[in-house]
Amino acid sequence: MDKETYIKQSLEAIAKKNLTTPFTLAPGSTVTDLDLYLNSLVNSYMTSKDPRLVNLFQDKIEALKAL
């Protein structure tokens, strides 16, 4: 799956969850602005060339989908 398709499907799945802010992803990690957090993840994921960074951002997106 290409990055654009993955992002589109992931954002749709996250939007369906109707997450209210603030929420905690992990101890010491509180998301206060979901849109800002998602924009940051998407921009970083889309511009990353290093496979390790791509996997890192993909893991963070998957964590949101799993909430």
Side-chain angles (χ1 to χ4, degrees), residues 4-35:
E4 290 82 14
T5 304
Y6 173 74
I7 288 295
K8 182 180 179 204
Q9 290 176 353
S10 296
L11 292 180
E12 288 172 358
I14 293 167
K16 287 180 184 177
K17 293 188 174 288
N18 292 323
L19 297 172
T20 56
T21 53
F23 62 90
T24 302
L25 285 175
S29 174
T30 302
V31 176
T32 56
D33 186 340
L34 181 59
D35 291 330

Side-chain angles (χ1 to χ4, degrees), residues 11 14 33-43 61 64:
L11 292 180
I14 293 167
D33 186 340
L34 181 59
D35 291 330
L36 184 62
Y37 184 67
L38 286 174
N39 285 336
S40 175
L41 283 177
V42 168
N43 289 336
I61 292 168
L64 284 174

